[in-house]
Amino acid sequence: EVQLLESGGGLVQPGGSLGLSCAASGFTFSSYAMSWVRQAPGKGLEWVSGTGTSAGDTQYADSVKGRFTISRDNSKNTLHLQMNSLRAEDTAVYYCAKRGGSGTYGFDIWGQGTMVTVSS
Amino acid sequence: EIVLTQSPGTLSLSPGERATLSCRASQTISSNSLAWYQQTPGQAPRLLIYGASSRATGIPDRFSGSGSGTDFTLTISRLEPEDFAVYYCQQRGSSPLYTFGQGTKLEIK
């Protein structure tokens, strides 16, 4: 079964750091671009960051650029998101998502999400 | 930055009716880059349509997508009870790499 499982969410104070992980299974992880998408409580979806299949191919939303770092470990089938200098507005459910195959730009597989709360 | 505007914000219909949801881009986008998602409360989004008109795996044929340029449409031909949810369009651009519309809530009338 194709599956993504996020972990690492929790409560953190403003200015703090948190690391999220996403364990992939059921597909050849190294062959697919991956992204993080977040959803603040009661709000819509916001793309946060993405990585292509090769190291160094990373992109970020302006809202997190310079504070968040995405990485992938293809040997462990795991996607990471390191979040530093967290702000209240970063409070959201964070989803990892797999891009479809070549030429397919939709996210065809999503994890169940992990909640990040930034509050003092 | 390309902005996607979805309309209406809320759509009230009955089971069995036809639903038409709109997504308008602030500038011309490639049809290849346009996708639609369904999200029910407490769940992750589910890919319905990619490439503006191709149904994702396992999606019933009552869901269809169309459009080009700046105007795109998701149509649900005959609403089933499980179709009442929030729908998002998404496009792949350059900076930011992906953007979502604000969503359309489809509710039972």
Side-chain angles (χ1 to χ4, degrees):
Chain A
E1 181 189 2
V2 178
Q3 194 172 3
L4 297 171
L5 188 62
E6 301 97 337
S7 60
L11 174 64
V12 60
Q13 292 188 338
S17 297
L18 204 60
L20 305 183
S21 295
C22 171
S25 60
F27 65 98
T28 305
F29 177 73
S30 59
S31 295
Y32 293 93
M34 300 290 297
S35 278
W36 289 96
V37 177
R38 68 184 179 185
Q39 186 169 36
K43 303 297 184 183
L45 301 170
E46 179 190 16
W47 175 81
V48 172
S49 181
T51 176
T53 56
S54 55
D57 179 12
T58 58
Q59 308 86 25
Y60 299 92
D62 286 347
S63 58
V64 306
K65 201 172 291 183
R67 300 188 299 124
F68 289 12
T69 302
I70 190 172
S71 61
R72 64 190 299 161
D73 185 340
N74 288 337
S75 68
K76 296 182 178 179
N77 294 341
T78 305
L79 181 71
H80 300 283
L81 186 68
Q82 179 63 38
M83 304 183 294
N84 299 330
S85 303
L86 283 161
R87 307 166 179 167
E89 55 265 35
D90 295 317
T91 294
V93 174
Y94 284 73
Y95 296 101
C96 67
K98 166 188 169 290
R99 210 193 90 175
S102 177
T104 304
Y105 293 121
F107 297 135
D108 61 352
I109 304 295
W110 295 65
Q112 86 290 348
T114 188
M115 184 70 203
V116 172
T117 303
V118 184
S119 174
S120 55
Chain B
E1 176 182 346
I2 294 175
V3 176
L4 298 179
T5 302
Q6 293 186 240
S7 62
T10 302
L11 184 57
S12 299
L13 293 170
S14 300
E17 290 192 295
R18 180 186 186 90
T20 303
L21 287 67
S22 174
C23 176
R24 177 164 290 178
S26 58
Q27 56 187 277
T28 297
I29 63 173
S30 168
S31 295
N32 279 348
S33 70
L34 198 284
W36 289 93
Y37 298 86
Q38 176 194 66
Q39 188 179 34
T40 53
Q43 300 298 312
R46 177 173 72 144
L47 178 66
L48 299 174
I49 301 288
Y50 64 93
S53 60
S54 297
R55 270 188 302 277
T57 302
I59 301 304
D61 60 7
R62 64 180 182 273
F63 291 91
S64 63
S66 63
S68 63
T70 60
D71 291 312
F72 298 87
T73 300
L74 175 69
T75 301
I76 311 171
S77 59
R78 287 176 54 88
L79 285 165
E80 298 287 343
E82 61 268 27
D83 298 337
F84 292 91
V86 179
Y87 292 84
Y88 295 94
C89 59
Q90 175 209 39
Q91 72 93 27
R92 184 190 187 273
S94 54
S95 182
L97 190 58
Y98 294 96
T99 53
F100 290 91
Q102 83 280 15
T104 289
K105 181 180 181 180
L106 178 56
E107 64 177 24
I108 299 176
K109 186 174 182 179

